[in-house]
Amino acid sequence: MRNIRLIMVAAMLGLLAASCGSYTPSCTDIPLIQHRGQLQLEGAVVPTGRNCDLDMRGSLAWGVTDHFATEVSINPVKRYSQVMGGFYNTVGEKFVYEIYGGAAMGYGYVTYDDDPDRFKKGNYQIAFVQGDCGWVNLTRFLNLDLAFSLKTGIIHGDFFCHDGWEQLESGGRSQLCHKEKGNNFLLEPTMEVRFGWERLKFNIKAGFSFIPPTPSFRMTYFPFSIGVGVSYRFN
């Protein structure tokens, strides 16, 4: 048990000590809507690297019809917003699966430890498909929710890159910069655990992003996010 605690602490410190990328896993709520009219509110705090402030993320999911639901998520720190809608279905009393299509947009800023004069900043947009599955109130003790999500899509980035300064013979300095723009594939699995009372629950979530570069464009990203929050479900 002590070794497990040490591993968890080391993993968290490693995440917080790493530099931040233009993109980090969104780690939005995995709603698991069960029926028409159900509404779920969730808020979370997600640390994503030494050069980033704490991400504050909020989500609202709503069962519009018997099998159609929608969700809106925002992150004011990263200027990230996401909307998605799609099909959901309940199997028995506890298991739910969902298939959503959606779009997102956000802002990224990167600094470099080896050169404080270098930075990268810009915007990105994502078109994606997301599949969710999980159990709601799986156990009587702590009313456990266990949810899994897989998001896949295309991320488009448009960034201004400051490469430092060039010293001129006249004694002045000239700014060195360039632009990076292009598309990359995005694969993002997420896991979320909620526990507490029947409607009010605490949550722990973890996300991982994989964005392979192309010959023409490489999206700078931080691959891991781990956070905690609170959710409330209106029936």
Side-chain angles (χ1 to χ4, degrees):
M1 182 63 70
R2 182 179 180 183
N3 290 335
I4 293 175
R5 293 197 193 102
L6 290 174
I7 291 172
M8 293 179 66
V9 171
M12 287 297 295
L13 290 176
L15 288 172
L16 294 173
S19 295
C20 181
S22 302
Y23 177 80
T24 56
S26 55
C27 273
T28 55
D29 173 39
I30 304 174
L32 300 184
I33 294 297
Q34 294 176 292
H35 56 76
R36 177 200 296 261
Q38 193 169 62
L39 185 70
Q40 178 158 292
L41 297 174
E42 180 171 88
V45 177
V46 184
T48 53
R50 181 179 58 193
N51 293 330
C52 291
D53 295 326
L54 288 177
D55 281 3
M56 297 175 290
R57 306 181 180 182
S59 301
L60 186 152
W62 177 37
V64 182
T65 71
D66 290 336
H67 292 287
F68 178 81
T70 185
E71 182 181 66
V72 176
S73 302
I74 59 171
N75 177 344
V77 177
K78 284 293 186 68
R79 307 179 200 174
Y80 180 88
S81 58
Q82 173 181 302
V83 59
M84 64 182 188
F87 173 84
Y88 74 92
N89 191 47
T90 302
V91 180
E93 296 182 356
K94 301 180 184 297
F95 186 76
V96 180
Y97 65 89
E98 304 167 320
I99 301 175
Y100 294 107
M105 60 187 299
Y107 172 82
Y109 184 86
V110 184
T111 59
Y112 299 88
D113 292 337
D114 58 346
D115 188 348
D117 289 331
R118 295 178 60 209
F119 65 85
K120 178 190 295 187
K121 63 179 180 179
N123 301 302
Y124 58 85
Q125 300 83 37
I126 307 171
F128 66 88
V129 175
Q130 178 174 314
D132 304 338
C133 67
W135 293 264
V136 178
N137 292 325
L138 181 62
T139 62
R140 291 186 178 180
F141 177 68
L142 294 180
N143 297 287
L144 184 68
D145 293 358
L146 184 61
F148 302 91
S149 172
L150 180 62
K151 177 190 293 183
T152 181
I154 299 296
I155 181 168
H156 172 80
D158 189 353
F159 292 93
F160 169 81
C161 306
H162 187 275
D163 301 316
W165 299 91
E166 181 183 19
Q167 193 69 35
L168 302 177
E169 294 182 359
S170 62
R173 295 194 305 170
S174 175
Q175 185 182 42
L176 301 175
C177 59
H178 71 281
K179 285 192 174 184
E180 295 181 0
K181 184 177 181 179
N183 300 315
N184 283 152
F185 173 75
L186 169 67
L187 184 67
E188 188 172 293
T190 303
M191 177 181 177
E192 182 174 10
V193 177
R194 296 187 286 257
F195 57 91
W197 296 266
E198 184 177 357
R199 298 188 182 184
L200 177 64
K201 298 183 181 183
F202 301 101
N203 62 68
I204 302 173
K205 56 185 66 186
F208 172 80
S209 292
F210 175 62
I211 308 177
T214 64
S216 59
F217 181 69
R218 177 182 180 272
M219 184 77 180
T220 306
Y221 69 101
F222 184 74
F224 300 102
S225 282
I226 298 177
V228 295
V230 178
S231 61
Y232 189 87
R233 179 165 291 201
F234 300 86
N235 287 322

